[in-house]
């Protein structure tokens, strides 16, 4: 890779002159600037992000911080990544993806080296250790998710509490009164990931309001986890007629387990899933679903970051309302009524 020393040698100037041409911090003659720029083009030299930033105070790079933990759905995460990258390009920005689960270290590293203009954080926890660090950074930040204390922080996400209520309302409208939640893996709840707790809270509140009999269980990924989860549900809620599945990874083994046990969807068990549309339509049964609006959420996050960069005020929180799409996995349920003797 060519260095600033190579550029200086090719242009016949000092390295400091090359630096001044790049930064614009001192006036350099048009002739000298032309020689330096010609040498840069000929050698294919790419200055360090910090050097590029000096002239404009911008790097034209956004950081997207998304720890790839073992219990996250990578295909779903990548939909958010694609949305952020696509939206960033409309502002002539690139995206630096940080996937290591390293707490505040990654934030401080890229911000301290002036590598990015702003940061977007995903997989937010209730007491997220990264939140206090954001206040110490000079770059603005946006969360995809909501910590317990979101004061002074720009946040955007799907309204998971409202989504849970919509799922239950949809099933109740089909006559279902015994409904179970197949939730994310136990680890997601244990580390306080807020989308899971917000959904569970919305599910519990809506069940009480609608007068439904419900149970909720986390579900480990894989066939065994699905099997254990279904066994717990059947033991605790006999006669369950519908499931709300808030676990994309569980959907394929869940449908296979139901098929193997002779339980037909939707004739014997109705399902509403919370997942992206491509997941809902790519399974053996096209699932009625609450969409995960990755494109909309990612786009709003980038727009918010750019507004903050430009000094424009933005709403502190943005909750995207849920959308339920009816497909083939919900059927009307009729409660069995015992005939009176005589």
């Amino acid at each position: 890779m060519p260095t600033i020393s190579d550029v200086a040698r090719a242009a016949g100037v000092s390295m400091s002159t090359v630096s001044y041409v790049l930064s614009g911090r001192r006036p350099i003659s048009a002739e000298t600037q032309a020689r330096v720029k010609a040498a840069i083009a000929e050698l294919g030299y790419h200055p360090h992000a910090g050097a590029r930033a000096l002239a404009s105070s911008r790097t034209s790079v956004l950081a997207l911080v998304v720890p790839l933990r073992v219990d996250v759905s990578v295909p779903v995460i990548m939909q958010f990544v694609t949305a952020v990258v696509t939206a960033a390009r409309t502002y002539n920005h690139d995206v630096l993806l940080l996937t290591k689960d390293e707490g505040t270290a990654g934030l401080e590293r890229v911000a301290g080296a002036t590598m990015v203009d702003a940061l977007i954080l995903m997989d937010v926890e209730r007491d997220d250790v990264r939140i206090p660090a954001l206040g110490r950074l000079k770059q603005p930040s946006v969360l995809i998710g909501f910590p317990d204390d979101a004061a002074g922080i720009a946040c955007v996400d799907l309204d998971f509490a409202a989504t849970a209520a919509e799922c239950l309302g949809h099933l109740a409208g089909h006559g279902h009164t015994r409904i179970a939640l197949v939730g994310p893996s136990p680890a997601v709840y244990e580390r306080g990931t807020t989308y899971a707790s917000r959904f569970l809270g919305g599910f519990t509140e809506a069940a009480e309001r609608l007068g439904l009999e419900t149970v909720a269980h986390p579900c480990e990924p894989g066939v065994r986890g699905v099997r254990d989860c279904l066994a717990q549900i059947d033991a605790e809620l006999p006669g369950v007629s519908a499931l709300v599945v808030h676990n994309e990874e569980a959907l394929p083994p869940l449908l296979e387990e139901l098929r193997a046990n002779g339980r037909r969807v939707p004739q014997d068990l109705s399902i509403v899933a919370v997942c992206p549309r491509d997941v809902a339509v790519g399974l053996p049964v096209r699932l009625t679903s609450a969409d995960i609006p990755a494109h909309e959420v990612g786009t709003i996050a980038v727009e918010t970051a750019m507004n903050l960069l430009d000094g424009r005020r933005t709403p502190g929180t943005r909750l995207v309302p849920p959308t339920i799409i009816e497909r083939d996995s919900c059927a009307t349920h009729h409660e069995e009524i015992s005939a009176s003797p005589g």
Side-chain angles (χ1 to χ4, degrees), residues 116-137:
V116 299
D117 294 331
L119 301 97
I120 299 173
L121 281 66
M122 292 185 61
D123 206 31
V124 176
E125 299 173 0
R126 296 181 62 179
D127 299 312
D128 202 306
V129 297
R130 299 172 296 178
I131 304 304
L134 296 178
R136 300 192 295 268
L137 305 181

Side-chain angles (χ1 to χ4, degrees), residues 11 34 47 59 83 134 152 176 205 212 225 232 242 268 284 313 339:
T59 66
L134 296 178
H176 297 276
E205 292 174 9
L212 304 173
Q232 290 176 307
D268 302 318
R313 295 183 62 182

Side-chain angles (χ1 to χ4, degrees), residues 148-305:
D148 275 355
D149 183 7
I153 305 173
C155 304
V156 58
D157 206 356
L158 171 66
D159 190 337
F160 279 97
T163 300
E166 286 290 315
C167 291
L168 279 179
H170 186 84
L171 289 166
H174 282 71
H176 297 276
T177 59
R178 295 182 181 90
I179 304 170
L181 169 62
V182 177
S185 71
V188 173
Y189 290 109
E190 289 165 5
R191 71 170 185 264
T193 309
T194 58
Y195 72 81
S197 59
R198 285 155 49 210
F199 191 92
L200 180 58
F203 182 89
T204 303
E205 292 174 9
E208 183 176 348
R209 185 179 70 251
L210 296 170
L212 304 173
E213 296 180 66
T214 62
V215 295
H217 280 285
C219 183
E220 292 278 8
V223 174
R224 178 173 294 181
V226 165
R227 188 173 296 145
D228 291 344
C229 183
L230 287 176
Q232 290 176 307
I233 288 170
D234 288 331
E236 295 180 24
L237 190 62
V240 61
S241 63
L243 302 176
V244 174
V245 184
H246 185 204
N247 186 328
E248 302 93 351
E249 299 294 321
L251 287 169
L254 173 66
L255 291 178
E256 176 57 27
E257 183 69 12
L258 293 175
R259 186 201 63 77
N261 292 331
R263 300 172 79 173
R264 300 166 298 167
V265 178
Q267 294 90 337
D268 302 318
L269 196 66
S270 290
I271 295 177
V272 173
V274 182
C275 63
R277 298 185 189 197
D278 63 312
V279 174
V281 301
L283 294 164
V285 179
R286 297 172 68 252
L287 298 178
T288 296
S289 70
D291 186 33
I292 298 289
H295 176 77
E296 184 174 1
V297 170
T299 300
I300 293 173
V302 171
E303 290 173 349
T304 303

Side-chain angles (χ1 to χ4, degrees), residues 19-32:
S19 178
Y20 293 143
V21 170
L22 291 170
S23 68
R25 294 177 64 184
R26 288 190 182 180
I28 302 295
S29 70
E31 179 189 358
T32 301

Side-chain angles (χ1 to χ4, degrees), residues 37-97:
K37 290 178 180 178
I40 289 172
E42 182 180 351
L43 295 172
Y45 172 66
H46 297 286
H48 183 271
R52 292 199 312 268
L54 289 175
S56 65
S57 300
R58 296 282 180 92
T59 66
S60 296
V61 178
L62 302 178
L64 178 59
V65 186
V66 48
L68 292 184
R69 301 182 172 109
V70 294
D71 49 18
V72 302
S73 174
V74 174
V76 175
I77 290 296
M78 290 309 299
Q79 293 197 14
F80 284 93
V81 172
T82 300
V84 168
V85 170
T86 302
R89 287 312 312 151
T90 66
Y91 293 94
N92 293 317
H93 271 61
D94 291 312
V95 175
L96 175 64
L97 188 60

